[in-house]
Amino acid sequence: MWSTYLFLTMLLVLLTVLPKIQNPHWIFRVPEFGKIQITYCILGTIILGFLVGRSENIWYSQALLGVLFIHHGVTLVKYTPLYPVKKYQRRNRSSKKLHFISANVYQFNKEYNRFINLIETCKPDVFLTMESNGDWEKAMRPLEKNYMYQHKVTLENTYGMHFYSKIKIKEAQTHYFVADDIPSFEIHLQTEDGFSFVFFGVHPPPPSPTEEETSKERDGDLLSTAKRVKDIKEPVIVVGDFNNVAWSKSSILFRKTSHLIDPRIGRSFVSTFHAKYRLLRFPIDLMFHSEDIFIEELKTLENFGSDHLPVYCEFFIDHHNEEQEQLVEEASQEEIQEAEEMIREGKEEDGERDTIVTED
């Protein structure tokens, strides 16, 4: 038990230190995803230490674990209801409530009807799918009678993306910020009650031993989106499978560069991946919004066979609100230069994706 305690202590120190090293290799970036699980493991190891208690020097390691627990806890508490964030009430001049669903459907998931039933039950105003290929596009055609407006990029490399809307699309663009096989959507919409907003859909590749060796393309793609968002004057929502967590350095740079707000702060983690393993579930399907967007509900929905849980959001658009604007953080000049460097590196990176991907 004593050797197990020492091994766990050293491992938890390593997993805490690795993300602090600003190296884009997946070995350094992947531990960022498990901050929630690492924090629970630290607490469990502290309890184990009290049970073992064989060495008079154990208090040194217990104190170290306590410092690690506080270090992680200070970050994670921001994404819980314990963190005070003012809630805003709808006003008479605001838009009607709007709803969207964002779902990484998992390209090889064949349970199309479960997803279609989810859409027909929840009746979102718009929904975005990621990893949707030709088979998924064909399966979703019955939904088009209720979702007259669409924007689609059908790919077989797990980076296809489809957008369906009951709200009128004024303009739609597909960006390829860092690679010609990684699309991002920019959709300009006009509601029936006269409110305009812009919906961005993103799905950059993850750093992992089975996909991209580094986070360069992911970070470059996200920060390119942030740079584009900053120049838009209308209300903005950015949604998708970020393959990133909100507390990572690149996510914080994204938030500051785009001048957007993270609605998870003061609310919950809204963990989505992996859908089948609750204890190994990370919040990587993210959302950010401008100060004109007000979130009333943000949650996950039931699993429909994918490896990601879908994200459901209920929001409304209001006119400029100085109090919510205080939640916007702006990047320093040094951070702006760092973001530009990450964009450049992302464009230079040569991703290793096939045109057609088959399930292993």
Side-chain angles (χ1 to χ4, degrees):
M1 289 290 286
W2 174 248
S3 59
T4 300
Y5 169 79
L6 290 178
F7 171 78
L8 288 173
T9 300
M10 290 186 290
L11 178 62
L12 292 166
V13 170
L14 179 65
L15 292 175
T16 300
V17 171
L18 281 176
K20 302 299 180 185
I21 301 171
Q22 292 309 310
N23 187 306
H25 195 278
W26 67 264
I27 289 175
F28 299 92
R29 302 278 61 86
V30 167
E32 292 176 318
F33 290 67
K35 185 179 281 287
I36 300 170
Q37 288 80 6
I38 290 169
T39 305
Y40 279 116
C41 287
I42 291 171
L43 181 59
T45 305
I46 290 173
I47 295 171
L48 178 63
F50 284 122
L51 297 176
V52 174
R54 287 177 49 184
S55 169
E56 61 183 20
N57 296 323
I58 194 171
W59 293 108
Y60 293 107
S61 55
Q62 289 287 79
L64 176 59
L65 289 169
V67 170
L68 295 183
F69 183 80
I70 293 170
H71 168 74
H72 290 291
V74 167
T75 297
L76 294 179
V77 74
K78 294 180 181 179
Y79 302 91
T80 72
L82 297 176
Y83 191 77
V85 174
K86 185 175 181 180
K87 301 296 188 293
Y88 301 94
Q89 301 297 320
R90 290 180 65 197
R91 303 173 184 175
N92 293 331
R93 59 181 182 174
S94 68
S95 74
K96 68 175 185 179
K97 287 185 182 180
L98 300 167
H99 314 76
F100 74 75
I101 288 176
S102 168
N104 182 322
V105 297
Y106 183 54
Q107 181 170 301
F108 307 104
N109 174 22
K110 304 300 181 183
E111 299 186 61
Y112 308 117
N113 286 336
R114 289 180 67 184
F115 180 72
I116 291 171
N117 290 339
L118 179 72
I119 296 299
E120 291 178 339
T121 299
C122 296
K123 297 180 174 60
D125 297 286
V126 303
F127 68 91
L128 174 75
T129 63
M130 292 148 286
E131 289 201 28
S132 38
N133 62 355
D135 290 340
W136 268 96
E137 180 177 327
K138 181 179 179 181
M140 292 189 291
R141 281 177 188 161
L143 295 171
E144 293 182 5
K145 65 179 183 296
N146 292 323
Y147 293 86
M148 297 175 56
Y149 305 98
Q150 302 123 30
H151 187 66
K152 309 171 184 177
V153 173
T154 306
L155 297 172
E156 302 296 330
N157 65 353
T158 71
Y159 290 95
M161 193 178 293
H162 291 67
F163 179 82
Y164 296 83
S165 176
K166 296 178 181 179
I167 303 170
K168 182 180 178 181
I169 295 178
K170 297 190 296 181
E171 179 186 353
Q173 300 179 55
T174 302
H175 298 288
Y176 296 90
F177 288 121
V178 298
D180 59 9
D181 59 351
I182 305 175
S184 297
F185 284 177
E186 177 184 336
I187 316 288
H188 294 248
L189 300 124
Q190 176 81 47
T191 67
E192 290 184 356
D193 52 355
F195 286 81
S196 296
F197 70 101
V198 185
F199 187 103
F200 278 81
V202 299
H203 182 207
S208 80
T210 58
E211 297 196 49
E212 299 304 313
E213 185 175 329
T214 74
S215 64
K216 289 181 180 180
E217 282 192 311
R218 180 199 69 182
D219 297 341
D221 189 71
L222 291 175
L223 290 167
S224 295
T225 301
K227 189 176 176 181
R228 168 64 185 151
V229 165
K230 184 172 64 97
D231 295 330
I232 294 176
K233 304 306 179 185
E234 294 179 307
V236 175
I237 293 175
V238 183
V239 175
D241 176 3
F242 278 57
N243 278 312
N244 205 358
V245 284
W247 47 78
S248 75
K249 183 173 183 178
S250 55
S251 276
I252 293 170
L253 267 180
F254 172 89
R255 176 164 52 83
K256 290 182 175 182
T257 303
S258 63
H259 300 173
L260 298 182
I261 297 166
D262 183 353
R264 282 170 165 76
I265 294 176
R267 194 181 300 269
S268 67
F269 298 117
V270 195
S271 297
T272 56
F273 176 88
H274 195 288
K276 295 180 181 178
Y277 309 114
R278 183 179 295 273
L279 296 180
L280 294 175
R281 194 172 290 171
F282 312 128
I284 64 173
D285 293 85
L286 304 182
M287 172 195 174
F288 295 87
H289 64 89
S290 61
E291 68 268 21
D292 316 274
I293 302 287
F294 296 82
I295 308 301
E296 293 213 336
E297 187 172 15
L298 182 66
K299 64 181 182 181
T300 57
L301 299 174
E302 65 185 67
N303 186 14
F304 58 89
S306 174
D307 53 354
H308 288 246
L309 294 176
V311 175
Y312 171 89
C313 180
E314 181 178 299
F315 68 99
F316 63 90
I317 306 168
D318 206 339
H319 295 283
H320 195 72
N321 184 300
E322 292 183 359
E323 292 180 338
Q324 182 152 281
E325 187 181 8
Q326 294 174 5
L327 300 176
V328 176
E329 294 183 66
E330 295 190 14
S332 65
Q333 191 59 42
E334 181 180 347
E335 288 172 325
I336 291 172
Q337 292 174 356
E338 187 173 7
E340 290 289 350
E341 178 65 15
M342 294 170 81
I343 291 171
R344 183 188 63 78
E345 290 181 349
K347 291 179 178 179
E348 292 176 352
E349 187 75 359
D350 185 17
E352 300 178 356
R353 289 173 299 279
D354 297 324
T355 304
I356 298 176
V357 178
T358 57
E359 187 173 19
D360 294 333

